[in-house]
Amino acid sequence: MGLCPELKVIEGSLRGTIPKKASPSGLPMKRRKLWSGRFSEDADRLAEEFNASISFDRRLFRHDIRGSIAHASALEKAGILTRKEAASIIEGLKAVEREISEGRFTFTPEMEDIHMAVERRLTEKIGPLGGKLHTGRSRNDQVALDIRLYLKDEIFTIAGLLHELKKAVVEAAEKHIGCIMPGYTHLQRAQPVLFSHHLLAYYEMFKRDTGRLLDCLERTDSMPLGAGALAGSPYELDRRLVAGLLGFSKVTENSMDSVSDRDFAIEFLSVASILMMHVSRLSEEIILWCTQEFGFVELPDAFSTGSSIMPQKKNPDVAELARGKTGRVYGDLMALLTLMKGLPLSYNKDMQEDKEPLFDAVDTVKETLLVFAPMLKSMKVNGDAMRKAVMAGFLNATDAADYLAKKGLPFREAHRVAGEIVAYCIKKGATLEDISTAEWKKFSPLFGDDIKEAVSIENSLNARAVYGGTALKTVKARLRAVKNEIGRGLC
Ligand code: ARG
């Protein structure tokens, strides 16, 4: 079967990068694999390209080198490296790190993956001594270590960004404490709530997301090196020393599990999916609130975009994209769950496919959180539009029923009476605030002169002073507690 033109170009360009010089084993020097001892045939170009993860796992270079430096110390302690050897390996590794971070290093597909690229460059720099670094280690435990180190760092970064988002939510809740809006169920106006109460609901969700991130950190924070390929290392490696050097609080317990386990990454992806689901729900609300139909909020120009055809348009693209990117993170979770579901113990090359979804989710969550917090801070709130919406739609009908229930009428009965009053008002084109006490009394003798006061919007709101309710004083108290939590750091 002939190759399509694009693949031919790729193949051709790969071929162009390969030096012709042959090694003692007959394979071209640069193309010799670190594992090529038993191989007499050159790797097929397409197979090599297909196998390589260097194009994406190169982003793990810092973690890979950190892990190698710690491993060199364990090799020294085990008497496999002399102090001098360990020192020159460590120095060489640091030089490789500098080369990569300063962009002086060219990655090519024949390097296969980041572990081989670093080791090969180290050996080029310090000579055959570089070959001692892989003693007692396999790429299987090495890659397990790298991802854990990477993910631990990223969990902290994401928790920090999430903290900023929580601060933005709380700041907006504090700024607009006086705004009363309709609370909805079924997207139908239900009962008056404080806009701040609505916003603080998201604070609670994001707080649980932080908790989930930190829980996941607990299981990511386990050091796998020493597992070797799968059965454990035959050298006396001090695994706890390595864990300590790398900032892990514990070591993994089973070598086979150590190289097979990706559930910490799946756990992260599920946490990320839940977090994005929350961001997406808030996005959806902001998108609705920005419409002319609602008009509750306005996003500043800096966080909106225009239409190339309709001059009047101002679109909430940031919120829409946050909602859209949520699906992408769900996809990353599904990719990893599906990847792992049929794998026998222990390492299988399929697992190389864990990285791109993980990286994609980390990047997506970070960029979303980064832009979301400032957007939220700059959102303008139209308290008048909210109040207008509260006044229409009989949001205080429950209060009329509660009034009767408090006078002893069974709630079911009270509910029916209030419903009849609503029907009466609809017919009359009036609101519950408009009708006279005499009219109220026609529906039930239990209504007294204080009914007008009881169904006022402020009363309806402030009556809900139960712990966790929307009354002004309750929300203010929660706001004080939340600001305290925020001030104490990650919560
Ligand atoms: N690039 C590989 C990965 O990401 C590293 C481990 C390779 N191990 C192996 N035995 N081929 O999974």
Side-chain angles (χ1 to χ4, degrees):
M1 206 173 69
L3 287 177
C4 68
E6 289 82 355
L7 279 177
K8 275 198 182 129
V9 171
I10 297 169
E11 202 198 21
S13 69
L14 279 175
R15 197 164 273 145
T17 61
I18 293 149
K20 297 277 174 295
K21 210 172 110 201
S23 72
S25 72
L27 290 173
M29 270 308 251
K30 273 270 177 191
R31 300 217 51 235
R32 264 188 76 197
K33 302 289 180 195
L34 294 175
W35 40 253
S36 68
R38 64 156 290 174
F39 287 75
S40 53
E41 221 184 308
D42 203 355
D44 177 88
R45 297 281 159 204
L46 294 174
E48 179 178 74
E49 171 82 347
F50 192 65
N51 255 320
S53 51
I54 191 73
S55 63
F56 50 87
D57 67 12
R58 56 204 268 184
R59 79 152 79 183
L60 294 173
F61 77 92
R62 284 202 177 81
H63 304 98
D64 194 73
I65 291 175
R66 254 170 78 197
S68 288
I69 291 175
H71 183 60
S73 302
L75 290 176
E76 183 195 334
K77 192 172 174 202
I80 295 146
L81 294 178
T82 64
R83 172 166 291 210
K84 218 170 131 227
E85 286 175 328
S88 43
I89 286 180
I90 291 172
E91 198 157 309
L93 284 166
K94 286 182 179 161
V96 176
E97 182 173 1
R98 277 196 301 277
E99 256 182 45
I100 302 178
S101 52
E102 287 164 13
R104 289 185 284 117
F105 187 85
T106 316
F107 291 99
T108 54
E110 69 261 19
M111 289 174 182
E112 197 173 322
D113 60 26
I114 187 61
H115 325 296
M116 306 245 258
V118 169
E119 191 185 321
R120 184 188 285 271
R121 187 68 191 123
L122 175 72
T123 307
E124 278 169 9
K125 277 179 148 346
I126 67 168
L129 171 62
K132 284 196 176 184
L133 175 64
H134 211 51
T135 318
R137 187 176 69 168
S138 153
R139 278 183 295 156
N140 298 353
D141 56 353
Q142 195 176 352
V143 74
L145 174 77
D146 291 5
I147 312 175
R148 284 171 184 269
L149 280 172
Y150 161 81
L151 195 54
K152 277 181 67 182
D153 282 353
E154 297 296 356
I155 288 175
F156 280 118
T157 307
I158 291 173
L161 290 169
L162 186 53
H163 193 66
E164 289 308 308
L165 179 56
K166 281 184 287 185
K167 268 165 59 181
V169 168
V170 172
E171 202 180 293
E174 193 171 27
K175 194 157 140 204
H176 304 292
I177 187 71
C179 293
I180 304 177
M181 70 180 288
Y184 294 82
T185 62
H186 313 268
L187 206 54
Q188 304 290 322
R189 289 176 195 168
Q191 289 175 343
V193 294
L194 283 181
F195 178 57
S196 307
H197 193 53
H198 193 129
L199 285 179
L200 286 178
Y202 283 98
Y203 172 81
E204 304 299 340
M205 297 176 224
F206 293 143
K207 182 179 163 183
R208 291 193 294 275
D209 289 325
T210 305
R212 274 184 281 268
L213 270 173
L214 299 180
D215 272 359
C216 163
L217 182 68
E218 167 68 18
R219 279 168 291 282
T220 308
D221 182 24
S222 218
M223 206 291 296
L225 222 56
L230 75 159
S233 173
Y235 302 91
E236 273 183 54
L237 298 175
D238 184 344
R239 300 188 61 212
R240 288 204 169 71
L241 168 83
V242 176
L245 290 173
L246 294 172
F248 282 95
S249 67
K250 53 195 171 299
V251 296
T252 54
E253 297 295 333
N254 177 303
S255 63
M256 294 183 78
D257 178 47
S258 309
V259 296
S260 309
D261 167 32
R262 294 292 182 273
D263 56 13
F264 63 91
I266 294 175
E267 191 176 347
F268 168 78
L269 290 173
S270 32
V271 172
S273 295
I274 298 173
L275 163 58
M276 286 299 286
M277 179 266 290
H278 290 149
V279 171
S280 185
R281 291 186 76 176
L282 181 52
S283 299
E284 168 68 11
E285 301 215 270
I286 291 172
I287 294 161
L288 282 174
W289 293 341
C290 279
T291 58
Q292 278 179 23
E293 283 72 10
F294 277 81
F296 290 178
V297 304
E298 193 188 332
L299 289 176
D301 291 357
F303 287 92
S304 310
T305 51
S307 155
S308 56
I309 174 168
M310 296 165 283
Q312 85 284 9
K313 289 297 285 292
K314 188 174 163 190
N315 298 327
D317 286 26
V318 170
E320 290 173 81
L321 274 172
R323 189 178 57 185
K325 282 173 190 289
T326 302
R328 195 176 158 142
V329 175
Y330 291 3
D332 293 328
L333 169 64
M334 283 306 133
L336 221 62
L337 280 169
T338 313
L339 173 71
M340 296 303 293
K341 83 184 227 320
L343 296 187
L345 297 189
S346 59
Y347 177 82
N348 300 271
K349 187 72 175 230
D350 315 43
M351 289 158 75
Q352 180 164 286
E353 291 289 308
D354 62 354
K355 281 165 216 64
E356 286 164 295
L358 185 62
F359 294 161
D360 183 67
V362 164
D363 292 346
T364 307
V365 170
K366 285 201 300 192
E367 66 180 14
T368 306
L369 294 179
L370 201 60
V371 65
F372 216 86
M375 179 188 75
L376 210 59
K377 279 190 188 173
S378 60
M379 187 172 76
K380 282 204 215 91
V381 173
N382 187 345
D384 291 341
M386 288 180 178
R387 182 146 197 124
K388 236 168 113 190
V390 169
M391 298 311 287
F394 304 99
L395 278 81
N396 42 2
T398 320
D399 300 284
D402 283 331
Y403 177 96
L404 294 176
K406 280 182 186 162
K407 295 221 165 166
L409 200 65
F411 186 78
R412 277 290 143 249
E413 185 63 11
H415 182 283
R416 188 190 53 75
V417 173
E420 283 168 9
I421 300 169
V422 167
Y424 170 79
C425 286
I426 292 172
K427 221 170 179 181
K428 206 179 154 186
T431 68
L432 291 181
E433 290 85 347
D434 295 335
I435 57 173
S436 67
T437 316
E439 284 171 297
W440 281 101
K441 284 188 172 160
K442 271 199 259 164
F443 289 90
S444 167
L446 291 174
F447 284 122
D449 292 341
D450 54 349
I451 178 61
K452 283 194 103 58
E453 171 65 18
V455 296
S456 77
I457 295 303
E458 264 72 18
N459 194 70
S460 164
L461 188 99
N462 288 321
R464 290 171 168 79
V466 64
Y467 187 82
T470 194
L472 183 63
K473 68 170 194 217
T474 320
V475 174
K476 276 186 170 167
R478 183 64 192 142
L479 202 50
R480 271 196 303 279
V482 156
K483 279 173 68 186
N484 230 321
E485 283 175 1
I486 293 264
R488 273 187 277 120
L490 291 184
C491 57

